[in-house]
Amino acid sequence: VIFPEGIDPAFTTDQSYLDRIFKGRNTLIVSSRHAATGSHAYTGDIVYRSVRGGELATYQKLFLMPQGEYLPAIAEFLYPLSGNADALQYAQTLGDRLVRGPGLVVQEHDGYTVGGLLCSDLLSPHLYRSLVERHGADILLNLANPSWFHGSHTYHNKTLQIARVHAVENARPLIVASNDAPSYIVTSNGNVTAMTAWGMPSALVQTIMLPD
């Protein structure tokens, strides 16, 4: 069960509720959260939980977006020179906002290995290739938050193209769970086998075929 970025349902820690939903099946639940690391710093995390085993592993986002998630050194130097009070205040609040994680994380479950990345991590072919080649991922994930782009179809179409390239390049299925835009499943040969609709909360239920 995969949730978009920014959604970490409270029920994932309620064992009695989980037992009622999944009826004893050892289901893997993948969600995300922000975790504080200091007074103004935090990490963007993917959390792997199992119904029976609780929290199993955490991945901290690696591919950060300049200006939006961290302040590049050149911008940190230039903003004070601008003389603009708003720009300076923005720089001061952004400089230590998001912290990169230490490395990639995968999680084994029922004989297969899941490798997930967070939102703009999708832009990095190196990260997905490393999940497969170095960490043995059988299924690739991306937990996304495209609500920043206010329902942009252009953004959705471009990220879908990128996801299809990752799936084909790595010969692995890729599942993208999004908020404010369709979620979808791409097979290892680049076909989109399922996609949610625009503008309504919904879920995909799909059997994933793994390559031999």
Side-chain angles (χ1 to χ4, degrees), residues 43-45 58-62 99-105 135:
T43 56
D45 299 350
T58 301
Y59 160 76
Q60 298 174 342
K61 188 176 183 181
L62 290 169
V99 178
R100 293 178 77 248
L104 294 170
V105 174
H135 299 274

Side-chain angles (χ1 to χ4, degrees), residues 131-202:
L131 282 174
V132 173
E133 294 183 353
R134 298 183 181 181
H135 299 274
D138 301 306
I139 299 174
L140 302 174
L141 309 178
N142 188 269
L143 284 63
N145 179 18
S147 62
W148 292 97
F149 296 89
H150 306 289
S152 169
H153 286 242
T154 299
Y155 174 86
H156 167 72
N157 292 335
K158 290 301 180 183
T159 51
L160 175 57
Q161 291 173 354
I162 293 171
R164 295 179 69 185
V165 170
H166 289 325
V168 172
E169 180 181 40
N170 295 292
R172 297 293 188 276
L174 174 57
I175 304 169
V176 178
S178 299
N179 57 34
D180 201 38
S183 300
Y184 50 87
I185 299 171
V186 184
T187 66
S188 57
N189 59 9
N191 293 327
V192 179
T193 57
M195 182 180 292
T196 58
W198 283 93
M200 62 179 67
S202 53

